Structure formats: C-alpha cells, structure tokens
Amino acid sequence: MDHLESPHSPHRGTPDTARNAPRPGWIELAVGLAVMALIAFVLAPQLNRLDMSGPTAAVLSGVVSGGGGLIAFAAAAMLRVRSWRAFGVRATTARWLLIGAAAGLVAFAARILTVFLVGLFVDMGSGTQASYAAGAGAGALSLALTMLTLAVLTPLGEEFLFRGVVATVLLRYGALVGVVGSAVVFALMHGINEVLPAALIVGLIGAELYRRSGSIWPGVLMHAVYNAISLGLLALAALAA
C-alpha cells in the first residue's frame, strides 16, 4: 500500500490545496542527503582537527548532527513543497507520544542486546562513545550541554531529515522499502563504526513510528529518550569511576 494513501498519511485531514501540492520526491531526498553528507563528512572532519577536549567534542557532535539535520531538511523542504505537513511535521496524539517514549526504552534495550551480539563477531571500536562519555562525565554544566545537543537537538534534526524526508519518499514504495531503506540510510550516515548497529535500531523504530502515526513527533521523542538514557548512564559511570 502506498504510504501516502494510507490512513496514517501525513496528508490525512489536510486541506485540498495541501493534498494537491507536489509530494516530496527523489529530488528532496537527494538534496537533503547531499547537504547532510557535506556537513558530516566534509565540515565535521575539519572541525575535529581543532583538537578539542572530550566534552567540547561531544557538544559539537550534537550540534553537527542536529543542526546539520535541520539545515538539510530545510534545504529539501524549500525546493518545491511549502507545507511541512507533507514531511510529517504535524500534530499527533498523546497516545502516540506515550508510545514514542516507551519505544525509546525498547530501542535502548534492543541496542544493548544487538551491540553484545555484534561484538561477539566484530570489534567495532569505541572512539565515538569516548567523546560522549567525556561530555556526560565532566560535570553538571557539561552534562547539561551534552544533553541539550545530543538528546534534544540531535533527535530533532535527524528525525526531520531521515524520517521527514527520507522515509516519506521511500514509503511511497511500500512499508518494507520505506522503513528498512530509510533506517539503512540513517545508519550508514553515522559511518562504519560502533554506532552503526544502534543507529540501525533507532532508524527502524523511528521509521515504523512515523509510518504508523503519520507524524515525526513520536520518533523524535523515542530518539530523545534513547539518547538521554545513554548519556545518563555514561554520567553515572563517570561518577562511579
């Protein structure tokens, strides 16, 4: 079934003018991912050469992923479609928000199991997580800034781009292509490292929440809960050390 024809369509309940507007397509997807790739794989490495401390690097990581995602989304949304509702930026119900929050707990539990299983066969390192741990464990101010960027800004930017743009376009070809395809793209944009298995889980759950609810907000909340738990545990580990 075409996602945009389903009961959970982002266009459901919108005025006729919104329904008749150009739907997000491959040009929006290509532009959004191209902008994000430039930020993540060209700009970010240049910033990393500044040899910043661990806490600063963690905060910058959240700014790049979250801010970069929002910039990439804006670039895609400004091409043809003027209503952000076409990208799933629409109100949802309290029930779906509660489901999103609960899904964050499920995603974290699934991440622990998946990382353990993958670790039995492949050593993917821990370089990225080291900067997150430094940001979470360097005091209250550092933890607050790391939470603000990685548990608020990052979920917003990444869900707007990878669910609002990528999943919206791919869901036109069915649930399997939309959910799995957008999750794989999301995971690969994180690079081939220890974050990839967790990113794939978050991507799958976020895309399915979006497909079923027709709104990006349950996925944003899921992503925020997942990142907040991860950083909270890193902070507790630093205190216990």
Side-chain angles (χ1 to χ4, degrees):
M1 179 186 296
D2 191 319
H3 169 68
L4 296 180
E5 300 295 333
S6 74
H8 306 296
S9 166
H11 292 282
R12 187 183 181 209
T14 59
D16 289 339
T17 53
R19 293 196 194 100
N20 295 331
R23 294 188 299 179
W26 285 100
I27 186 172
E28 283 82 9
L29 185 150
V31 168
L33 290 182
V35 171
M36 190 66 216
L38 285 173
I39 293 172
F41 300 129
V42 178
L43 176 61
Q46 297 303 317
L47 294 175
N48 289 337
R49 292 182 178 180
L50 299 178
D51 194 25
M52 295 169 289
S53 65
T56 302
V59 171
L60 181 62
S61 175
V63 172
V64 169
S65 59
L70 290 175
I71 292 171
F73 169 80
M78 290 171 59
L79 288 173
R80 297 183 300 169
V81 181
R82 294 296 177 261
S83 173
W84 284 13
R85 290 174 65 89
F87 297 92
V89 186
R90 62 194 300 270
T92 189
T93 64
R95 173 177 172 270
W96 272 113
L97 292 177
L98 288 174
I99 291 173
L105 299 175
V106 173
F108 186 78
R111 171 257 182 121
I112 293 175
L113 177 61
T114 302
V115 170
F116 170 75
L117 293 175
V118 171
L120 295 177
F121 303 97
V122 181
D123 180 9
M124 303 193 75
S126 59
T128 303
Q129 296 298 311
S131 67
Y132 298 160
L141 178 59
S142 176
L143 176 60
L145 290 174
T146 303
M147 280 284 187
L148 180 63
T149 55
L150 289 171
V152 178
L153 182 59
T154 290
L156 280 171
E158 292 187 342
E159 294 302 314
F160 266 64
L161 174 61
F162 292 101
R163 257 56 75 187
V165 177
V166 178
T168 292
V169 174
L170 295 183
L171 280 167
R172 295 168 65 174
Y173 304 96
L176 182 63
V177 173
V179 172
V180 176
S182 63
V184 169
V185 171
F186 174 66
L188 291 176
M189 286 293 287
H190 284 76
I192 308 300
N193 53 47
E194 76 279 6
V195 177
L196 191 147
L200 183 60
I201 291 170
V202 171
L204 288 169
I205 295 176
E208 183 63 10
L209 286 171
Y210 175 56
R211 185 182 77 85
R212 290 182 175 274
S213 70
S215 170
I216 67 166
W217 296 118
V220 169
L221 189 56
M222 176 276 299
H223 202 152
V225 168
Y226 171 89
N227 282 8
I229 293 174
S230 301
L231 291 172
L233 291 178
L234 288 173
L236 290 175
L239 287 175

mmCIF file with all atom_site columns, all heavy atoms in Angstrom, residues 55 90 134 143 191 193 228:
data_model
loop_
_atom_site.group_PDB
_atom_site.id
_atom_site.type_symbol
_atom_site.label_atom_id
_atom_site.label_alt_id
_atom_site.label_comp_id
_atom_site.label_asym_id
_atom_site.label_entity_id
_atom_site.label_seq_id
_atom_site.pdbx_PDB_ins_code
_atom_site.Cartn_x
_atom_site.Cartn_y
_atom_site.Cartn_z
_atom_site.occupancy
_atom_site.B_iso_or_equiv
_atom_site.pdbx_formal_charge
_atom_site.auth_seq_id
_atom_site.auth_comp_id
_atom_site.auth_asym_id
_atom_site.auth_atom_id
_atom_site.pdbx_PDB_model_num
ATOM 1  N N   . PRO A 1 55  ? 34.653 16.868 26.230 1.00 0.00 ? 55  PRO A N   1
ATOM 2  C CA  . PRO A 1 55  ? 33.340 17.484 26.410 1.00 0.00 ? 55  PRO A CA  1
ATOM 3  C C   . PRO A 1 55  ? 32.959 18.411 25.250 1.00 0.00 ? 55  PRO A C   1
ATOM 4  O O   . PRO A 1 55  ? 31.814 18.404 24.792 1.00 0.00 ? 55  PRO A O   1
ATOM 5  C CB  . PRO A 1 55  ? 33.495 18.273 27.714 1.00 0.00 ? 55  PRO A CB  1
ATOM 6  C CG  . PRO A 1 55  ? 34.553 17.535 28.461 1.00 0.00 ? 55  PRO A CG  1
ATOM 7  C CD  . PRO A 1 55  ? 35.511 17.047 27.418 1.00 0.00 ? 55  PRO A CD  1
ATOM 8  N N   . ARG A 1 90  ? 3.587  17.377 11.763 1.00 0.00 ? 90  ARG A N   1
ATOM 9  C CA  . ARG A 1 90  ? 2.178  17.627 12.075 1.00 0.00 ? 90  ARG A CA  1
ATOM 10 C C   . ARG A 1 90  ? 1.882  17.120 13.469 1.00 0.00 ? 90  ARG A C   1
ATOM 11 O O   . ARG A 1 90  ? 2.582  16.256 13.995 1.00 0.00 ? 90  ARG A O   1
ATOM 12 C CB  . ARG A 1 90  ? 1.280  16.931 11.047 1.00 0.00 ? 90  ARG A CB  1
ATOM 13 C CG  . ARG A 1 90  ? 1.415  15.427 11.006 1.00 0.00 ? 90  ARG A CG  1
ATOM 14 C CD  . ARG A 1 90  ? 0.778  14.818 9.756  1.00 0.00 ? 90  ARG A CD  1
ATOM 15 N NE  . ARG A 1 90  ? -0.634 15.102 9.653  1.00 0.00 ? 90  ARG A NE  1
ATOM 16 C CZ  . ARG A 1 90  ? -1.576 14.305 10.168 1.00 0.00 ? 90  ARG A CZ  1
ATOM 17 N NH1 . ARG A 1 90  ? -1.244 13.216 10.834 1.00 0.00 ? 90  ARG A NH1 1
ATOM 18 N NH2 . ARG A 1 90  ? -2.850 14.609 10.013 1.00 0.00 ? 90  ARG A NH2 1
ATOM 19 N N   . ALA A 1 134 ? 33.009 11.498 27.831 1.00 0.00 ? 134 ALA A N   1
ATOM 20 C CA  . ALA A 1 134 ? 33.712 12.663 28.372 1.00 0.00 ? 134 ALA A CA  1
ATOM 21 C C   . ALA A 1 134 ? 32.756 13.826 28.578 1.00 0.00 ? 134 ALA A C   1
ATOM 22 O O   . ALA A 1 134 ? 32.816 14.528 29.596 1.00 0.00 ? 134 ALA A O   1
ATOM 23 C CB  . ALA A 1 134 ? 34.838 13.070 27.428 1.00 0.00 ? 134 ALA A CB  1
ATOM 24 N N   . LEU A 1 143 ? 27.361 18.080 31.261 1.00 0.00 ? 143 LEU A N   1
ATOM 25 C CA  . LEU A 1 143 ? 26.275 17.119 31.067 1.00 0.00 ? 143 LEU A CA  1
ATOM 26 C C   . LEU A 1 143 ? 25.035 17.813 30.515 1.00 0.00 ? 143 LEU A C   1
ATOM 27 O O   . LEU A 1 143 ? 24.376 17.293 29.609 1.00 0.00 ? 143 LEU A O   1
ATOM 28 C CB  . LEU A 1 143 ? 25.944 16.420 32.383 1.00 0.00 ? 143 LEU A CB  1
ATOM 29 C CG  . LEU A 1 143 ? 24.750 15.456 32.351 1.00 0.00 ? 143 LEU A CG  1
ATOM 30 C CD1 . LEU A 1 143 ? 24.995 14.334 31.359 1.00 0.00 ? 143 LEU A CD1 1
ATOM 31 C CD2 . LEU A 1 143 ? 24.483 14.891 33.749 1.00 0.00 ? 143 LEU A CD2 1
ATOM 32 N N   . GLY A 1 191 ? 28.400 6.405  9.677  1.00 0.00 ? 191 GLY A N   1
ATOM 33 C CA  . GLY A 1 191 ? 29.711 5.834  9.417  1.00 0.00 ? 191 GLY A CA  1
ATOM 34 C C   . GLY A 1 191 ? 29.775 4.377  9.829  1.00 0.00 ? 191 GLY A C   1
ATOM 35 O O   . GLY A 1 191 ? 28.908 3.874  10.548 1.00 0.00 ? 191 GLY A O   1
ATOM 36 N N   . ASN A 1 193 ? 31.138 2.252  12.119 1.00 0.00 ? 193 ASN A N   1
ATOM 37 C CA  . ASN A 1 193 ? 31.780 2.280  13.428 1.00 0.00 ? 193 ASN A CA  1
ATOM 38 C C   . ASN A 1 193 ? 30.858 1.627  14.452 1.00 0.00 ? 193 ASN A C   1
ATOM 39 O O   . ASN A 1 193 ? 29.858 1.009  14.094 1.00 0.00 ? 193 ASN A O   1
ATOM 40 C CB  . ASN A 1 193 ? 32.133 3.720  13.831 1.00 0.00 ? 193 ASN A CB  1
ATOM 41 C CG  . ASN A 1 193 ? 30.924 4.643  13.729 1.00 0.00 ? 193 ASN A CG  1
ATOM 42 O OD1 . ASN A 1 193 ? 29.836 4.311  14.191 1.00 0.00 ? 193 ASN A OD1 1
ATOM 43 N ND2 . ASN A 1 193 ? 31.109 5.803  13.112 1.00 0.00 ? 193 ASN A ND2 1
ATOM 44 N N   . ALA A 1 228 ? 18.950 10.224 25.839 1.00 0.00 ? 228 ALA A N   1
ATOM 45 C CA  . ALA A 1 228 ? 19.035 10.695 27.225 1.00 0.00 ? 228 ALA A CA  1
ATOM 46 C C   . ALA A 1 228 ? 19.429 9.555  28.162 1.00 0.00 ? 228 ALA A C   1
ATOM 47 O O   . ALA A 1 228 ? 20.243 9.739  29.080 1.00 0.00 ? 228 ALA A O   1
ATOM 48 C CB  . ALA A 1 228 ? 17.699 11.300 27.652 1.00 0.00 ? 228 ALA A CB  1
#
